[in-house]
Amino acid sequence: MSNSSSPILASPPGDCCAQGFKHRGTPVGQKIHVGGLDTYITYPPKEYENKPQRIIFAFPDVFGTFYVNTDLVLDHFASHGFLVIAPDYLQGDSVAQYYEEGVGYKKGVDLAAWVQPHREFAIKATPIWIEAVKAKFGTPDTTYGCVGYCFGAPFAMGLLAHGGVSAGAFAHPGFLTEDDFRNIKGPLLMCCAETDFTFPTSSRHRAEEILAETKATYHVQLFSGVKHGFSTRGNPDDPNERWVKEECARGMINWWNRFL
């Protein structure tokens, strides 16, 4: 993880991180246990069996690994030829259980107090999990990518900083500092909302300055008319929000196809 003294660019999750719409669909992946964590794994179609394996490490937001919205997005990635795998670093204690659509976050629940112990656990558990996944599912020819949503963004950035993945992406990130952008060694796709409490315009511009200074390979998707959470919890019945969600996923797939 980054130096704690480095200036903060993406803040810890706030109330905007516990809002959104529950999506409709039936996930097709499986629940397994690897590296000490329950894990969601979803496989590419059989047509990809004889092609080089590409694994995506997916790091979910506070709604968790087994939330339907999360799993449907990961299934979509898998359908385009990737083996996608995500850790339950929240240990089953997803924000989804404290949230009611149309009502919001339940009173009496302190999101900041909830986040901190989960973050401390995830920081310790995730590196062990990554190595276990590579040992169990990787081959000498496997290439790796990663994606992080909000709470999960630092784990994707960590992989980009320390090697082991060919390209990474995040959407509406939390918990990032200047050093997280300064230290990356792999290509980064940033999927951003015009309005985002955790990653405001000034922070995005500073991140772009750092990436330009370090001559990083990066691309920015910036979407108007949406806010934090658009990539996983947007309103599927709103034409713009649905298009943004789908375009964000398409951008990530194209990014991995370019580098993996």
Side-chain angles (χ1 to χ4, degrees), residues 23-153:
H23 297 166
R24 299 175 292 273
T26 303
V28 298
Q30 303 168 17
K31 182 178 181 179
I32 62 172
H33 194 81
V34 61
L37 297 176
D38 286 339
T39 296
Y40 186 79
I41 185 167
T42 179
Y43 292 88
K46 288 186 177 181
E47 64 198 77
Y48 291 93
E49 280 183 354
N50 296 321
K51 295 183 180 180
Q53 180 175 244
R54 301 180 297 172
I55 292 178
I56 303 299
F57 295 108
F59 302 105
D61 61 20
V62 293
F63 276 70
T65 296
F66 298 108
Y67 188 59
V68 62
N69 295 26
T70 303
D71 296 347
L72 291 174
V73 171
L74 303 190
D75 289 346
H76 179 66
F77 293 153
S79 73
H80 285 263
F82 304 97
L83 174 63
V84 187
I85 188 162
D88 181 18
Y89 44 30
L90 303 181
Q91 298 179 284
D93 188 30
S94 164
V95 156
Q97 65 186 318
Y98 307 113
Y99 177 78
E100 185 176 347
E101 188 171 317
V103 177
Y105 212 50
K106 294 179 182 177
K107 292 181 180 179
V109 178
D110 185 334
L111 183 60
W114 176 92
V115 162
Q116 192 53 36
H118 290 83
R119 177 165 158 77
E120 290 173 359
F121 173 81
I123 289 171
K124 293 176 182 177
T126 300
I128 298 169
W129 176 83
I130 290 168
E131 292 309 311
V133 169
K134 287 185 174 182
K136 185 175 179 65
F137 296 100
T139 71
D141 308 344
T142 300
T143 53
Y144 298 90
C146 61
V147 59
Y149 298 92
C150 186
F151 181 97

Side-chain angles (χ1 to χ4, degrees), residues 152-174:
F155 303 102
M157 294 294 276
L159 277 172
L160 283 170
H162 297 110
V165 295
S166 298
F170 66 56
H172 37 83

